[in-house]
Amino acid sequence: PESPGSDAHESHLVPCDFAADLPDEFRQSLQDARNPPVAPEGLSSGYRLLPLDEVYRMMARLPAGVAVTMVLDCAYAIVPRISPADVVNTFPKVMRGRVDYAKLQDFVSRPRFLELPPLPISPTRVPSQGTDAFPKCAIRCFSACRLAEWNVELPLEGTVQGSFTWAFVKALAAGNFQSTVGKLHQQVVEIVEDLRRQFSGIEQTPIVVLSPTATSDDPVFGAAMVSPMPA
């Protein structure tokens, strides 16, 4: 949540060591539902989370002529304000409800939830420097799924891995790493569709979001094919 009791939840990328900076007292309080987690007085530590809003601000600092290819294999897989769709970086709380894993035993993919309480300290923010317009650089953001869907992990080639990442690499290799954005996206969609036919319970549609200076004819790794936006 953006703040205690807030209905708006901010989207973040969550690394595997997201809680490494929190003290033992904080983790112990999480085990007792009767005691809300409170960081010790003077604590300067926090979650190691990367807000997607900060990803946008990093992109907004890049000058015209720079090309960026992003790959997001996560549930909230759209960086806000990189395209005219103007997707916001907050969402209402996802209600977990009752998950009967006995009924899901025939499904390869199972839902996982991570609910983090807000810390009583202010997170470190990167100054926006007035970057509220669309980025001037060309951004091609390949995302694992639509906002109403879930990305999944599957046992593929001897190990459990993200189905979107696996499909993305397969499509890149099939195109000898020289595909255009549009062609690569179509190949990724076809590979994921094939996985959906093989595995039960997969509802995932890969998408690609383009900034105003990027097109589907751009090479995945290379300069944009359109002129930069005027200053």
Side-chain angles (χ1 to χ4, degrees):
E2 289 191 314
S3 60
S6 173
D7 291 331
H9 288 62
E10 186 177 3
S11 55
H12 294 76
L13 298 179
V14 183
C16 59
D17 62 347
F18 72 93
D21 288 336
L22 294 174
D24 292 337
E25 295 88 341
F26 189 89
R27 294 186 180 86
Q28 291 171 2
S29 65
L30 288 176
Q31 299 174 6
D32 189 349
R34 296 171 298 176
N35 299 323
V38 177
E41 185 177 355
L43 174 68
S44 59
S45 301
Y47 300 120
R48 294 179 178 181
L49 303 179
L50 177 60
L52 285 178
D53 194 51
E54 301 300 345
V55 175
Y56 155 77
R57 293 180 182 180
M58 296 174 194
M59 298 299 103
R61 291 192 179 96
L62 298 178
V66 173
V68 178
T69 297
M70 296 172 33
V71 181
L72 298 178
D73 194 349
C74 51
Y76 196 103
I78 297 180
V79 177
R81 300 193 300 281
I82 68 171
S83 78
D86 196 27
V87 178
V88 298
N89 66 323
T90 59
F91 57 92
K93 181 178 180 179
V94 178
M95 301 307 296
R96 182 178 187 274
R98 181 176 180 274
V99 179
D100 188 349
Y101 286 104
K103 293 183 179 180
L104 293 174
Q105 60 184 354
D106 294 330
F107 291 85
V108 175
S109 178
R110 298 184 181 185
R112 292 186 294 176
F113 294 85
L114 177 64
E115 183 171 356
L116 301 177
L119 291 175
I121 57 175
S122 298
T124 301
R125 293 293 187 187
V126 178
S128 65
Q129 299 179 353
T131 54
D132 290 329
F134 300 128
K136 294 182 174 61
C137 63
I139 303 175
R140 313 86 179 237
C141 183
F142 292 87
S143 300
C145 58
R146 298 168 179 164
L147 290 182
E149 299 173 335
W150 304 92
N151 61 312
V152 300
E153 295 176 335
L154 298 171
L156 300 168
E157 298 182 340
T159 186
V160 176
Q161 53 189 308
S163 61
F164 172 71
T165 299
W166 182 82
F168 187 87
V169 173
K170 286 290 185 182
L172 268 180
N176 199 28
F177 299 91
Q178 296 180 353
S179 297
T180 63
V181 172
K183 183 177 180 180
L184 178 66
H185 172 62
Q186 183 58 41
Q187 290 175 319
V188 172
V189 170
E190 292 174 357
I191 295 174
V192 172
E193 283 294 326
D194 185 59
L195 290 176
R196 292 178 64 174
R197 288 189 288 268
Q198 297 181 50
F199 296 94
S200 300
I202 298 179
E203 294 296 335
Q204 180 175 349
T205 308
I207 63 175
V208 60
V209 178
L210 304 175
S211 67
T213 55
T215 75
S216 60
D217 293 326
D218 291 347
V220 176
F221 303 114
M225 303 295 289
V226 298
S227 300
M229 293 187 300

